[in-house]
Amino acid sequence: MSAGAALTDAPAPETAAAERHGGTAPRVTGPRGPGPARRLLGLVGGLVGGLVGGVLRRTAAVLALLALWEAAPRLGFVDRIFLPPFSEVAVAWWELLADGQLLDDARASLVRSATGFGLAVLVAVPLGLLIGWYRPVAELLGPLLEVFRNTAALALLPVFVLLLGIGETSKVSIVLYACTWPVLLNTISAVRTVDPTLLKLARSVNLPPWRLFQRVILPASVPAVFTGIRLAGAVAILVLVAAEMVGAKAGLGFLINNSQFNFAIPQMYAGILTVSLIGVAFNQLLVALERRFTSWRTSG
Amino acid sequence: MTTKPIPKIRFERVGMTFPVRAPRGARARISSGARDPARSPAGAGFTALEDIELDIADGEFTVLVGPSGCGKSTLLDLLGGLALPTSGRVLLDGEPVTGPGRDRGTVFQQYALLPWRTARGNVEFGLEAAGVPRRERAERAGEFLSLVGLDGFGDRHPHELSGGMRQRVAIARSLAYDPDVLLMDEPFGALDAQTRESLQDELLRVWQRTRKTVVFITHSIDEAVLLGQRVAVLTSRPGRVKEVVPIALGDGRADIRAGGGRADNDLAGGGRSGDVPSGDDRTGGGRGGVEDPRSTPEFARHRHRIWELLHDEVSRAQELEREAVAL
């Protein structure tokens, strides 16, 4: 392929990487050269090209955004004071990382959101299974749960601060609160939408209720429960950063807000970047976990 | 013969009436209550089955056909113990059916396989419910997968199997815990014509080997004639047994029942073993010179008889349906 031919003399490490990943790279046939050596070279080049092409396709939009970010302030399209070029933000990020401040803030944020998120999953999954299982309970609580879910968690932040102070408790609590609803509601609907023919099957073989729950309801609910958990993962970080902007002495939300107050604009953007990196990484982790638990859905 | 043995299954004046949801019931009552015999005079319910009388002998293959909405599936639910009749009794070995039990195995049209379990795991499912120890479960599952021609597919998940293979797994699952009666609710309805034919042959072969009592529901007259020793034709709403037609296909069916058959036609990797005459060709076990039982004059005669019986019922069912929509 053309991309492959252009990259025939790629540096050695990349070639090795391509060979290692040869199995996953799209199959590419090299251009027909006159000798076997050239053909091999062409093939390797093709593989590298395929791999680079794949990576390029997946990162092109992100790279374009960064390029725009870099160029716009330099070309004077936006005020460089309010939007410094990406390279300056990257330098600021590196400095924050080097002096340990970024790690401290990230750790503070991660501990809070992980605690709130973890507690929410631990509470909401069993509760959701229970509520979904007992139809009358689900019908009774349904409207109430809808009200809670549709009340923006952040609107309740002042209430949390009022009741629990501005310390860790209120921050973990609001994350816990916000994460509970997507997990709970998805779990309830997962239990209630289990394929009725499977329930009929279970009845026809006289499966006792506990076994029915363990062997049919629970595994059938896993995919939808995980959807809820992934939604909660995004919510955990979203809510926490907002909570940290109100009365906190550490955390990424504090870093962002505090940098803005002190007019340390590159540092502010560095904080924002860190938040989105953590968000993406967390989501990827949950996706990987979901794949592991629902491998029966896809081949392989 | 004055002392008849107790039939395996007996429907004794069985009736089934469902409560009707208020708005529909109310509307129906106003517009057509008196004319429609399916609705009781009070308009209190929807009568799916009425006065069903049917005896099924041990080891018999009985097919139920009827227009859509005639209560065939309800009849099977009653037999499976998933519902109880509002009048009359369903007797199994002379005892009234009071609930589901593993003496009856059900095969559903939508396979009802657990997608997170492998083929083997699905077959083991019924055995787990029956409390069979783990090691024996694995052994039995393998044995029954092999019986339905799925050797080597035990570790596949349902989404990796074709429709025909999925239904084979479901059949193996129902047979594995050794029920006396196999209840099949349009099991081949969702399959393509060729897969259906090969599974029909396979089912006859399995029936021959296991000697289960089979109650089979279908929409297809051909399928009914091919599979059934007797075909019970039901009327449209409310379902009653209109006539029970005994099927005698002569040599054609004897051959297919002797079970040479085209065993594993729909197994992608299963080779074409069906084309190879299997051992004793002389008795017509192989396919060599055997006529397709579906093309014999006997088959056509039975097919026509059932078609005639069904024809009026189908048009009546359609009329009822049109009425219901027009309301």
Side-chain angles (χ1 to χ4, degrees):
Chain A
M1 301 230 148
S2 61
L7 282 162
T8 345
D9 14 12
E14 249 187 88
T15 322
E19 275 168 341
R20 267 203 309 280
H21 295 116
T24 56
R27 219 157 16 121
V28 181
T29 46
R32 281 166 195 239
R38 268 209 77 140
R39 282 240 299 275
L40 184 69
L41 211 62
L43 192 72
V44 170
L47 282 175
V48 175
L51 190 72
V52 171
V55 171
L56 259 179
R57 232 189 342 273
R58 263 173 289 154
T59 53
V62 177
L63 290 178
L65 176 70
L66 295 184
L68 186 70
W69 184 354
E70 184 69 30
R74 288 189 188 282
L75 296 176
F77 294 148
V78 289
D79 194 333
R80 136 156 249 152
I81 309 246
F82 298 129
L83 182 66
F86 173 68
S87 53
E88 280 177 30
V89 172
V91 169
W93 188 84
W94 182 252
E95 282 167 4
L96 281 173
L97 188 69
D99 72 9
Q101 197 191 336
L102 190 64
L103 282 181
D104 286 345
D105 284 327
R107 192 182 306 120
S109 289
L110 279 176
V111 168
R112 286 169 188 150
S113 57
T115 311
F117 169 81
L119 286 174
V121 171
L122 283 181
V123 170
V125 171
L127 197 64
L129 292 173
L130 220 65
I131 294 176
W133 182 235
Y134 294 104
R135 192 160 283 259
V137 182
E139 272 158 21
L140 191 72
L141 292 183
L144 185 66
L145 296 179
E146 281 301 319
V147 170
F148 274 120
R149 184 181 61 165
N150 289 304
T151 306
L154 287 174
L156 290 173
L157 185 57
V159 179
F160 277 82
V161 172
L162 211 60
L163 294 176
L164 301 167
I166 54 168
E168 293 302 294
T169 320
S170 72
K171 290 182 182 56
V172 171
S173 300
I174 192 138
V175 173
L176 165 65
Y177 174 85
C179 288
T180 298
W181 307 113
V183 178
L184 187 65
L185 287 155
N186 269 279
T187 308
I188 293 172
S189 91
V191 173
R192 298 195 59 179
T193 55
V194 172
D195 184 353
T197 57
L198 295 185
L199 298 179
K200 207 170 167 185
L201 164 79
R203 277 184 66 205
S204 79
V205 299
N206 229 348
L207 209 63
W210 163 244
R211 282 287 181 79
L212 167 69
F213 192 76
Q214 175 199 8
R215 300 269 158 94
V216 180
I217 310 265
L218 210 56
S221 304
V222 166
V225 171
F226 256 104
T227 307
I229 289 180
R230 255 176 47 212
L231 284 172
V235 166
I237 289 169
L238 183 94
V239 172
L240 178 74
V241 169
E244 283 174 344
M245 290 182 172
V246 184
K249 288 185 282 307
L252 292 169
F254 166 77
L255 171 70
I256 294 165
N257 219 26
N258 197 44
S259 304
Q260 194 235 330
F261 282 147
N262 297 323
F263 224 71
I265 302 303
Q267 281 73 14
M268 179 189 83
Y269 282 108
I272 295 171
L273 267 186
T274 312
V275 169
S276 50
L277 285 179
I278 288 177
V280 169
F282 195 40
N283 188 54
Q284 286 303 110
L285 181 79
L286 291 176
V287 168
L289 215 63
E290 183 178 6
R291 281 229 185 92
R292 230 188 106 76
F293 277 107
T294 60
S295 59
W296 46 269
R297 284 210 297 186
T298 49
S299 46
Chain B
M1 287 275 258
T2 42
T3 50
K4 277 179 72 181
I6 302 174
K8 186 74 196 168
I9 298 163
R10 163 169 275 177
F11 288 95
E12 221 173 59
R13 297 185 62 84
V14 169
M16 186 68 180
T17 305
F18 293 102
V20 176
R21 270 172 288 161
R24 272 187 73 188
R27 257 191 303 162
R29 209 179 323 154
I30 293 160
S31 53
S32 70
R35 279 182 295 134
D36 189 347
R39 277 142 189 149
S40 53
F46 169 88
T47 306
L49 297 171
E50 201 172 72
D51 276 341
I52 296 282
E53 292 273 1
L54 185 65
D55 281 1
I56 295 170
D58 194 14
E60 193 177 25
F61 199 127
T62 307
V63 179
L64 303 175
V65 292
S68 59
C70 75
K72 300 186 293 278
S73 297
T74 308
L75 203 61
L76 217 59
D77 281 352
L78 293 178
L79 198 44
L82 298 177
L84 293 176
T86 40
S87 64
R89 296 192 302 170
V90 181
L91 301 173
L92 187 70
D93 290 319
E95 297 288 320
V97 171
T98 53
R102 284 182 297 273
D103 49 355
R104 285 146 287 158
T106 309
V107 178
F108 301 94
Q109 182 182 356
Q110 301 86 359
Y111 320 129
L113 297 183
L114 307 170
W116 55 89
R117 288 192 174 208
T118 59
R120 182 174 294 108
N122 267 287
V123 176
E124 286 180 7
F125 180 74
L127 297 171
E128 285 166 25
V132 175
R134 185 181 296 266
R135 177 175 296 184
E136 203 187 323
R137 279 204 305 257
E139 215 170 274
R140 287 255 284 273
E143 188 185 310
F144 279 90
L145 281 173
S146 154
L147 177 72
V148 297
L150 284 181
D151 270 318
F153 289 92
D155 294 325
R156 302 274 188 103
H157 280 93
H159 71 91
E160 298 168 305
L161 299 171
S162 71
M165 291 161 100
R166 286 180 208 176
Q167 198 53 288
R168 284 161 192 263
V169 175
I171 292 170
R173 175 177 61 196
S174 298
L175 288 171
Y177 55 88
D178 199 27
D180 297 336
V181 181
L182 204 55
L183 308 175
M184 308 186 85
D185 190 356
E186 293 186 44
F188 306 147
L191 303 175
D192 65 87
Q194 276 180 335
T195 308
R196 186 158 56 227
E197 277 191 16
S198 87
L199 271 164
Q200 287 164 350
D201 294 353
E202 186 101 351
L203 177 64
L204 283 177
R205 193 178 59 79
V206 168
W207 172 69
Q208 197 104 44
R209 279 178 56 179
T210 57
R211 280 294 161 190
K212 302 284 179 205
T213 309
V214 181
V215 182
F216 189 106
I217 289 181
T218 181
H219 265 123
S220 154
I221 301 176
D222 282 35
E223 189 166 74
V225 175
L226 183 82
L227 294 177
Q229 287 177 302
R230 292 195 306 155
V231 176
V233 180
L234 300 188
T235 63
S236 58
R237 230 174 41 215
R240 293 193 194 85
V241 178
K242 185 172 190 177
E243 194 168 326
V244 180
V245 182
I247 305 288
L249 286 187
D251 289 338
R253 190 171 70 163
D255 279 328
I256 197 167
R257 297 222 150 160
R262 287 147 295 184
D264 303 345
N265 263 1
D266 74 316
L267 300 184
R272 314 225 7 145
S273 58
D275 288 340
V276 183
S278 58
D280 53 356
D281 219 11
R282 284 158 296 143
T283 56
R287 216 180 151 198
V290 176
E291 214 180 338
D292 175 11
R294 295 163 182 90
S295 62
T296 59
E298 289 91 347
F299 190 92
R301 200 163 50 76
H302 282 105
R303 190 189 183 292
H304 185 66
R305 175 82 189 107
I306 292 170
W307 182 86
E308 273 180 337
L309 285 169
L310 264 177
H311 185 73
D312 298 344
E313 297 305 326
V314 170
S315 33
R316 235 196 102 235
Q318 279 168 350
E319 204 174 290
L320 285 175
E321 218 160 80
R322 263 199 300 278
E323 244 171 60
V325 171
L327 293 178

